[in-house]
Amino acid sequence: MQEPNFLDTESDPRYGPWGQKLYQLTRLFAVTGGLGFVVLVVMSLISIVGRKIAATPVPGDIEVMQMGTAVASAAMLAFCEMERHHLRVDFFTANVSPRLRERLDALSHLLLAIVGVLVAWRTGASALSLKEAGETSMILAWPVWIVVAALVPSFLLLAVAGAYNAISHWQLASSEGEPA
């Protein structure tokens, strides 16, 4: 099966009406994460130039970079899952039947969905704990819990995308005519 075009989910048979909406949402998260990285690069350049020319870097630039990269990179995970571009090893499944391969793919997507839920849950619990403790960043004194809580929607979206792909692969395996 040919991989989907980045802009054309309607012609891809893997995406039904719900999948198209989910795909668009994950793409929105990924674009937002990408824009976040662009902002971080600009901030970093301003800080570097300010440090070299005027000895005045952006205050807390390292803190902002750490927090921003965590949120921006997490925002891209679900889109990678919808595009099915996560790392996988096809070497072991190259000679199995298409039906079994689809079932194994369904299992791997389901496991990713479970991990996404667990990470979202523990990240949410961590955010609540940080809020109760009142922890702030060292230089800017920003509440750390807000940044940690901002990760939760991305991990939940990753879990939903993983579940969607697991169901899609399982249905495809079930529609195959040959036995596993």
Side-chain angles (χ1 to χ4, degrees):
M1 179 186 307
Q2 183 179 353
E3 289 298 315
N5 180 337
F6 176 70
L7 298 174
D8 185 20
T9 59
E10 293 172 10
S11 66
D12 188 345
R14 296 182 300 180
Y15 298 110
W18 289 104
Q20 290 175 15
K21 288 176 179 34
L22 181 58
Y23 185 88
Q24 294 303 324
L25 181 61
T26 61
R27 190 166 70 176
L28 175 66
F29 266 61
V31 168
T32 303
L35 291 173
F37 274 118
V38 170
V39 168
L40 290 171
V41 167
V42 170
M43 185 254 344
S44 183
L45 288 172
I46 291 170
S47 186
I48 291 168
V49 169
R51 183 177 290 120
K52 294 296 181 188
I53 293 177
T56 56
V58 173
D61 58 345
I62 301 299
E63 286 180 357
V64 173
M65 187 65 73
Q66 289 172 337
M67 292 184 232
T69 55
V71 174
S73 60
M76 297 177 175
L77 293 173
F79 183 70
C80 290
E81 173 59 12
M82 286 303 288
E83 282 283 316
R84 296 178 176 123
H85 287 306
H86 285 292
L87 179 66
R88 58 184 208 192
V89 181
D90 293 347
F91 174 78
F92 298 106
T93 61
N95 295 321
V96 301
S97 70
R99 185 175 184 187
L100 178 58
R101 189 175 316 118
E102 290 298 330
R103 293 216 173 165
L104 290 172
D105 284 346
L107 178 62
S108 69
H109 290 290
L110 178 63
L111 290 173
L112 180 69
I114 291 168
V115 168
V117 168
L118 290 173
V119 171
W121 166 50
R122 295 311 307 158
T123 303
S126 177
L128 291 174
S129 176
L130 290 167
K131 184 179 181 182
E132 288 174 9
E135 185 171 333
T136 61
S137 64
M138 188 171 278
I139 296 171
L140 298 173
W142 288 355
V144 176
W145 75 270
I146 294 172
V147 175
V148 175
L151 298 170
V152 174
S154 295
F155 292 134
L156 288 175
L157 188 59
L158 173 63
V160 171
Y164 178 84
N165 282 336
I167 292 167
S168 296
H169 279 281
W170 192 263
Q171 288 174 339
L172 191 57
S174 298
S175 69
E176 296 279 334
E178 61 187 76

